[in-house]
Amino acid sequence: MAGRLDGYRILILETREEAQFSRLLSEQGADVLQCPMFTIHDAPDPAPVEAWIRLFIAKPFDDLVLMTGEGLRRMMKVAQRIGVDQDFIAAIGKAKRYARGPKPVRALREIGLEANVQTETPTSEGVAAMLAKENLNGHRVGLQLYPDKDHGKLIAAITSLGASVETVLPYIYDGEAAETNIVAAIDEMAQGRVDAIALTSSGQVRRLIEVARAHGCEDKLRVGLAQTPIASVGPVVSDELSANGLTTDIYPANDSFFMKPLISAMAVALNKNPPRVARQI
């Protein structure tokens, strides 16, 4: 039902797909405070990405592991630029396709393909557990990585199954330009002007804390978070919060770790009290 979040001010930390999240919240009447966390750029040196794509086309991998939807979209841009996009799609179609969560699934559908297997838990550990059930002995595995993460354990887990791994990192993060926005968002929470903060990735938690420390306002961040309900999309985010001494206040029902169930859970929790703006008038 539309309007369930009328008047509530929700802070979201923009990453890859938060434009959709913002739209869904706005449709429910929320006043969405958007805070860009970082900008995504293509890999500064395109040569390794191009080489990986050409290798995939020349000798398709037995298996393809997609860690993010953004990664596939960035690779498709490179393939289009060098004129091999249809050959690349054909090669992907020959491989068994593994997806770390729903976002790579959606990216595959954009090029007319489906994931063969999707992780139960969208983490590197979940990917390792998923692949451990497969017979990868002697297989060549293409592994798309994402920035700001040590993937050594996952690569070791795959090679321990008897497979060889070809990795590609198609994009990087640039967070410096967004730090002013993050500090401003921290101030809004500390001053009690936010009804809830909605977190959809563990990287958002780490980024908040890193920027707060760099700008000498970690205490202000923790004060703000202590008085602002924290909505977590799923266990990965909640584990990251817990590791940093923070608590999840709002969580999707029935282990449905997606945006719409998260919004429903927020509506149920927040509707117990009027919006803060109304209370401050």
Side-chain angles (χ1 to χ4, degrees):
M1 180 183 292
R4 293 181 300 169
L5 291 172
D6 279 344
Y8 292 96
R9 196 167 188 231
I10 312 298
L11 171 62
I12 66 171
L13 309 177
E14 294 186 42
T15 51
R16 293 181 294 276
E17 296 192 356
E18 263 46 38
Q20 178 191 6
F21 193 23
S22 176
R23 177 181 58 79
L24 292 171
L25 285 165
S26 296
E27 288 174 354
Q28 297 302 319
D31 175 12
V32 183
L33 176 59
Q34 296 171 292
C35 178
M37 296 293 282
F38 45 70
T39 302
I40 299 176
H41 298 298
D42 292 332
D45 180 6
V49 182
E50 293 175 8
W52 188 91
I53 290 171
R54 293 189 187 280
L55 175 64
F56 197 163
I57 293 170
K59 190 178 180 183
F61 302 126
D62 299 295
D63 309 272
L64 172 63
V65 180
L66 293 170
M67 301 295 280
T68 65
E70 183 71 29
L72 178 57
R73 293 185 185 101
R74 294 275 166 172
M75 289 191 290
M76 284 305 306
K77 281 178 55 181
V78 173
Q80 289 165 1
R81 178 173 53 78
I82 62 177
V84 297
D85 49 314
Q86 293 306 310
D87 291 336
F88 186 41
I89 292 171
I92 294 173
K94 295 175 183 177
K96 187 167 184 177
R97 298 170 295 282
Y98 298 89
R100 172 183 163 267
K103 294 177 182 179
V105 172
R106 288 196 291 269
L108 280 166
R109 287 174 180 166
E110 290 169 9
I111 59 172
L113 297 172
E114 294 287 341
N116 297 107
V117 187
Q118 180 182 335
T119 53
E120 295 181 6
T121 305
T123 63
S124 294
E125 293 75 17
V127 171
M130 170 182 64
L131 296 176
K133 300 175 184 178
E134 304 288 322
N135 180 11
L136 299 183
N137 188 42
H139 284 214
R140 296 169 58 249
V141 177
L143 174 61
Q144 173 258 310
L145 306 178
Y146 59 93
D148 296 348
K149 170 76 175 180
D150 182 359
H151 298 279
K153 288 184 178 179
L154 176 58
I155 294 170
I158 297 173
T159 55
S160 72
L161 299 173
S164 61
V165 182
E166 295 283 353
T167 64
V168 62
L169 180 61
Y171 62 97
I172 61 170
Y173 294 147
D174 175 10
E176 292 184 10
E179 291 192 5
T180 300
N181 297 318
I182 297 170
V183 172
I186 290 170
D187 190 58
E188 289 290 294
M189 285 192 291
Q191 294 192 40
R193 294 200 289 256
V194 177
D195 290 289
I197 176 172
L199 300 169
T200 57
S201 77
S202 58
Q204 293 171 343
V205 181
R206 293 191 295 271
R207 182 76 177 133
L208 260 181
I209 294 172
E210 288 168 1
V211 172
R213 287 174 179 167
H215 289 264
C217 58
E218 185 178 359
D219 287 345
K220 180 185 283 189
L221 170 63
R222 291 187 179 275
V223 167
L225 291 173
Q227 65 185 17
T228 305
I230 302 174
S232 163
V233 76
V236 178
V237 177
S238 292
D239 287 348
E240 189 68 34
L241 286 165
S242 179
N244 286 281
L246 300 168
T247 303
T248 297
D249 301 300
I250 301 172
Y251 197 73
N254 304 317
D255 293 338
S256 298
F257 306 132
F258 303 98
M259 291 177 184
K260 288 185 178 180
L262 177 61
I263 292 171
S264 295
M266 291 169 66
V268 171
L270 295 180
N271 283 174
K272 294 175 182 178
N273 296 292
R276 284 181 169 175
V277 171
R279 281 178 270 166
Q280 292 168 0
I281 294 174

